[in-house]
Amino acid sequence: MPTSSIAERLEQIAEGVPGTLGCHVMTAEGETLFSRNADDAFAQASAIKIPILLAVLAQREAGKIAWEQLHRITKQNQVDGTGILSEFLDGESQISTGDLCTLMIVLSDNTATNLLIDLVGMAEVNRLMDSLGCPQTRLRRGMMDTAASARGEENVSTPAEGARIMQMLVQRKFLNRKISDEALAILRKPKSSAIRKAVPPEIPVVGKPGAIHRVATEWALVELPERPYIIVLMGKDGEESRFLAAFSEIAQCVHQTLATKQ
């Protein structure tokens, strides 16, 4: 399918979804293949956990925190929503920083996420994003903080900045090759997502999805042999289920096109 036809088809899919859909698709080298509302800000839901992971790795690399440091799970720091730590007995378990990162990414654990935000500091996550050239990617509240959400304090990013962050990782330019590889290894761990469902199971999908009321997001690196590519999808002011169906349709169209060009 010619590039112009692909763009036309992806635009049709996006236009068919109530709400606003943003998308940025590019090669690992940075060639833009399709872009729509790429500089618009979208609430991120759990996709904001990727910047938090990078902040933890950056502070560990700087010697400010330890990967093996233990954190006690208590009723005071447990929050509802996705994950498993909210089910733990009060004060009976301690979890390492490294394991909190795995729980945050693989199970999207909100308690783990908030513990990591407390560890590295919200302002430090945002300073890191500034240093990476992503000033619109902002961490403004912890997970399940409904009061902050009601005040409009939402965690946000753009499709273009999400794609920029994923490109830094695939090019091994986040801090250094070792740390970039470590971040990719955590993000590569299996999880269900709209893009994952659209790509053949033997092709690794590296990234993080997220969804809250009227919002859906996913940042992904698809490790297509010889031609890895980045696809970041965001939706707002619509229905989560409709966004996720469109995400899968867009991802399937992109993958089929790129896979046949190899």
Side-chain angles (χ1 to χ4, degrees):
M1 185 184 293
T3 303
S4 58
S5 299
I6 301 165
E8 184 177 322
R9 176 58 186 143
L10 296 182
E11 191 66 37
Q12 287 175 347
I13 297 168
E15 282 290 338
V17 183
T20 302
L21 192 149
C23 178
H24 197 73
V25 183
M26 68 183 191
T27 65
E29 292 76 25
E31 177 191 356
T32 298
L33 304 175
F34 179 71
S35 192
R36 185 180 196 273
N37 297 322
D39 294 318
D40 290 2
F42 290 77
Q44 286 306 293
S46 286
I48 200 67
K49 293 169 183 177
I50 293 179
I52 296 168
L53 171 66
L54 300 188
V56 175
L57 290 169
Q59 290 198 18
R60 190 201 66 186
E61 184 72 354
K64 296 179 180 179
I65 61 176
W67 204 236
E68 302 79 12
Q69 178 183 342
L70 294 176
H71 308 267
R72 190 170 296 280
I73 309 304
T74 68
K75 287 296 181 186
Q76 186 176 358
N77 57 40
Q78 288 170 313
V79 294
D80 293 330
T82 52
I84 190 64
L85 293 183
S86 62
E87 304 295 331
F88 281 28
L89 294 175
D90 184 16
E92 295 298 316
S93 300
Q94 296 185 85
I95 308 292
S96 71
T97 300
D99 287 339
L100 288 176
C101 287
T102 299
L103 288 168
M104 175 176 70
I105 297 301
V106 179
L107 297 184
S108 207
D109 194 292
N110 288 329
T111 297
T113 304
N114 286 353
L115 285 166
L116 291 171
I117 292 171
D118 290 344
L119 180 66
V120 299
M122 199 172 296
E124 290 302 316
V125 175
N126 293 330
R127 273 192 278 272
L128 175 64
M129 292 301 103
D130 286 340
S131 75
L132 299 179
C134 298
Q136 294 192 78
T137 301
R138 298 289 92 172
L139 177 65
R140 294 177 175 145
R141 65 169 178 85
M143 302 303 107
M144 305 305 293
D145 187 343
T146 54
S149 182
R151 294 193 298 269
E153 297 170 10
E154 195 52 79
N155 303 320
V156 296
S157 187
T158 71
E161 289 192 0
R164 176 180 175 84
I165 289 167
M166 298 308 293
Q167 184 189 30
M168 287 182 195
L169 293 175
V170 70
Q171 292 186 346
R172 275 57 174 190
K173 292 181 178 179
F174 174 66
L175 300 184
N176 56 52
R177 174 171 288 274
K178 175 179 175 292
I179 299 301
S180 294
D181 280 338
E182 191 168 357
L184 288 170
I186 294 171
L187 293 169
R188 193 178 288 115
K189 294 180 185 298
K191 63 191 78 67
S192 178
S193 76
I195 295 173
R196 173 68 278 172
K197 292 175 183 176
V199 173
E202 67 274 13
I203 306 295
V205 173
V206 183
K208 184 82 181 75
I212 52 177
H213 181 58
R214 296 177 61 79
V215 166
T217 57
E218 186 165 357
W219 304 12
L221 161 68
V222 179
E223 295 183 314
L224 182 64
E226 309 302 326
R227 201 176 191 193
Y229 63 91
I230 293 155
I231 177 167
V232 175
L233 297 159
M234 300 181 182
K236 61 182 176 181
D237 303 323
E239 297 178 20
E240 175 190 340
S241 60
R242 296 287 296 275
F243 283 134
L244 295 178
F247 287 4
S248 285
E249 193 173 358
I250 289 170
Q252 184 176 44
C253 182
V254 168
H255 189 78
Q256 287 177 344
T257 301
L258 295 179
T260 57
K261 287 186 176 182
Q262 291 197 102

